[in-house]
Amino acid sequence: MAEQKHTAGAFDVRTFIAALIGLFGVILVLAGLFGPDRTADSVTDGSAVNLWVGVGLLLVAGLLQGWAMLRPTVVDEPPASAQGSGSEPGV
């Protein structure tokens, strides 16, 4: 009997990491757009650091999710006899 194969799908670790990076990116973009006045910030010389880092994080999240979709992780299914048909000794 041939082994059945399927992809990890939503359970791929790259999907979780891309979602978290994307969430942080959205938060930083919103903070960059609607945050406090940037002209008073002497450390960054008035540049929109939150906005640019947020955009960068969104790009990285998109690339990571694209990678997960283009090259999915293939999971091998165990044979049907090893999946616990209820006839295991000692159960």
Side-chain angles (χ1 to χ4, degrees):
M1 181 179 272
E3 291 184 15
Q4 297 176 359
K5 295 182 180 182
H6 68 278
T7 60
F11 298 106
D12 191 350
V13 70
R14 295 173 291 183
T15 301
F16 287 114
I17 294 171
L20 288 174
I21 290 174
L23 178 66
F24 293 146
V26 167
I27 290 170
L28 283 177
V29 166
L30 292 175
L33 292 174
F34 303 112
D37 188 17
R38 292 183 301 270
T39 58
D41 192 7
S42 62
V43 176
T44 62
D45 296 329
S47 63
V49 175
N50 284 340
L51 181 64
W52 290 112
V53 171
V55 168
L57 286 175
L58 289 174
L59 288 174
V60 169
L63 288 173
L64 194 60
Q65 184 60 36
W67 176 35
M69 292 172 69
L70 290 175
R71 305 264 316 198
T73 302
V74 177
V75 179
D76 295 332
E77 286 284 327
S81 62
Q83 288 183 352
S85 59
S87 62
E88 294 180 25
V91 176

